[in-house]
Amino acid sequence: MTDAKNLTQLGKHVETPQSPEQAVLEAVPFQRGDGPPAIVRFTCPEFTSLCPVTGQPDFAHIVIDYAPDEMLVESKSLKLFMTSFRNHGAFHEECTVMIGRRIVEVTKPLWLRVGGYWFPRGGIPIDVFWQTGAPPKDVWLPDTGVAPYRGRG
């Protein structure tokens, strides 16, 4: 059983952080084992942030794939981190890359990619992709399952 005594949010009442900078992203130990690395996917189909110019909400479908090494993202802390963007004013590109970099900082995975599929504003969707490098050899990496432009499907 995983020792969770160092976690500050799991199993506790925690207020939603007011910004991504205030959000505490936590990790738990992981034993990888032999063979190709596992790919872990988190999908956030209702991600929201604020336009830094107008203050209006922006919406995205975020897909995070990563190959953990020794640490896993603790999912409650990830949910709180993702929710903290609701009050955060930043462009699509900054939000998407910030998500990937914070997870890398906390978990130091073998590999990570994040896809931000942003809903159109002004008729133009902006999809943002960031990854740490080439995926590990011999991993099964499924398609993200998100249409590049949701207006077509």
Side-chain angles (χ1 to χ4, degrees):
M1 180 179 236
T2 299
D3 180 10
K5 68 180 175 225
N6 293 329
L7 298 175
T8 63
Q9 301 169 101
L10 186 61
K12 299 172 178 81
H13 175 75
V14 179
E15 296 293 327
T16 301
Q18 292 302 303
S19 71
E21 294 81 13
Q22 292 177 355
V24 177
L25 195 55
E26 297 183 319
V28 295
F30 177 66
Q31 293 186 346
R32 222 167 52 82
D34 297 331
I39 297 296
V40 177
R41 172 170 288 168
F42 289 103
T43 305
C44 185
E46 298 176 345
F47 183 86
T48 58
S49 66
L50 298 176
C51 173
V53 176
T54 66
Q56 293 185 359
D58 287 321
F59 302 91
H61 186 137
I62 305 287
V63 179
I64 303 160
D65 290 319
Y66 77 108
D69 189 12
E70 296 180 6
M71 302 300 282
L72 296 171
V73 174
E74 192 285 306
S75 63
K76 180 177 181 179
S77 74
L78 179 65
K79 291 172 198 171
L80 289 165
F81 171 63
M82 299 297 276
T83 302
S84 74
F85 281 87
R86 289 185 179 169
N87 298 317
H88 181 70
F91 291 115
H92 303 335
E93 297 85 349
E94 182 183 348
C95 290
T96 305
V97 173
M98 180 188 289
I99 291 166
R101 287 186 173 150
R102 280 288 298 277
I103 295 169
V104 167
E105 176 186 324
V106 170
T107 66
K108 298 175 183 34
L110 299 171
W111 173 81
L112 177 139
R113 79 172 175 190
V114 59
Y117 299 86
W118 293 84
F119 287 84
R121 290 210 44 213
I124 300 174
I126 300 173
D127 294 340
V128 182
F129 307 98
W130 185 82
Q131 68 182 35
T132 59
K137 185 179 184 305
D138 296 330
V139 299
W140 176 55
L141 195 56
D143 182 78
T144 62
V146 181
Y149 174 60
R150 282 154 310 284
R152 287 192 278 254

